[in-house]
Amino acid sequence: MESEKMLITSSNFVLYDALGKLDNYLAELKLAPKDALHMRLLAEETLGMLRAMAGEYKSLVWFEKEDTICKIKVVAKTEMDFEKKKEILSVSRSGENALAKGFMGKIADIIENGFLNYENVMKLQQEYGGGYVDYAAMGGTTSADCYSWRLEQYRDALDEVREDNDAAKTAWDELEKSIVASLADDVIVGVKHDEVDFTIVSKLYNR
């Protein structure tokens, strides 16, 4: 079962209105109370991530229910480019992306970087990447024309290095405190050319 798709753009984004519409869509799925609460919290975090994303974008957001799982789906297109991303980084005192704080901030950053071509991503990492953990590489895979990232792979990769890497320890702490990471069974990000497919997957327990 799929709910109605809601269009969100960076120019008309109002968190209260968007969350109200998603609440209506969620009610159509007739989930058990605790399941509905979990999906509502995940939806709120997703909308917060979209609000934090830089640049101009358009996105469709909706729920999908399939037997014992429920998904939040986002399909977005953006006009993020290398110079815009570099400008965002340059205004930060530390030279790191100020938006990439917390788990969902990192997801937004991964999406933004995913729209850039590989050569420009490498330039950004060389210029501003000192003293950090490459969370986009942890859990990410790149092919000829697309980039993908998964929470499960990211968690495993962080766990392997966090004892000896302060940045990885910080990222792990963010993961442990994240509502999304605690409630979701998986988070999947796929970027191909100028389009991103973002999915949060959560099991339903009928309670």
Side-chain angles (χ1 to χ4, degrees):
M1 181 179 180
E2 180 179 306
S3 68
E4 184 178 347
K5 293 180 173 66
M6 177 175 61
L7 176 64
I8 292 177
T9 71
S10 54
S11 59
N12 74 353
F13 190 103
V14 178
L15 181 61
Y16 179 82
D17 291 345
L19 192 55
K21 289 180 181 178
L22 279 186
D23 282 340
N24 292 335
Y25 299 161
L26 185 58
E28 295 174 3
L29 300 182
K30 295 181 171 59
L31 303 181
K34 194 169 184 179
D35 289 333
L37 175 61
H38 287 177
M39 295 309 300
R40 207 271 186 183
L41 290 171
L42 291 172
E44 187 171 356
E45 292 291 307
T46 299
L47 292 175
M49 178 201 70
L50 289 174
R51 182 174 59 176
M53 282 178 58
E56 298 296 320
Y57 66 85
K58 294 180 180 179
S59 61
L60 291 172
V61 184
W62 71 97
F63 293 100
E64 288 183 1
K65 179 183 176 184
E66 303 172 3
D67 298 325
T68 59
I69 65 170
C70 192
K71 300 177 182 178
I72 297 175
K73 297 281 295 182
V74 178
V75 174
K77 289 191 174 185
T78 187
E79 295 179 7
M80 173 61 67
D81 59 30
F82 176 64
E83 292 304 320
K84 181 66 176 179
K85 184 70 176 182
K86 187 174 180 180
E87 177 184 345
I88 292 169
L89 287 168
S90 67
V91 298
S92 170
R93 290 181 183 177
S94 64
E96 298 174 358
N97 188 357
L99 297 179
K101 305 301 180 184
F103 175 65
M104 290 303 278
K106 287 179 168 55
I107 295 292
D109 197 49
I110 287 169
I111 290 172
E112 290 170 7
N113 283 339
F115 286 113
L116 305 173
N117 65 46
Y118 182 80
E119 180 182 355
N120 285 335
V121 170
M122 291 302 100
K123 287 179 182 177
L124 288 172
Q125 290 182 350
Q126 290 168 7
E127 190 165 352
Y128 299 107
Y132 82 120
V133 57
D134 189 355
Y135 49 84
M138 290 182 166
T141 56
T142 304
S143 64
D145 64 348
C146 64
Y147 168 83
S148 62
W149 185 96
R150 296 192 70 153
L151 170 60
E152 183 179 5
Q153 295 171 352
Y154 175 64
R155 194 192 303 273
D156 290 344
L158 267 186
D159 195 25
E160 289 181 4
V161 300
R162 63 190 173 101
E163 293 301 324
D164 303 313
N165 186 308
D166 288 341
K169 287 180 184 178
T170 299
W172 182 267
D173 289 342
E174 290 177 342
L175 197 63
E176 292 288 285
K177 296 173 183 176
S178 167
I179 291 174
V180 172
S182 64
L183 294 180
D185 290 280
D186 205 357
V187 176
I188 306 162
V189 181
V191 181
K192 187 171 184 179
H193 304 304
D194 64 343
E195 184 171 292
V196 62
D197 189 321
F198 171 76
T199 305
I200 296 180
V201 182
S202 182
K203 289 180 182 177
L204 297 176
Y205 295 94
N206 197 29
R207 60 187 184 195

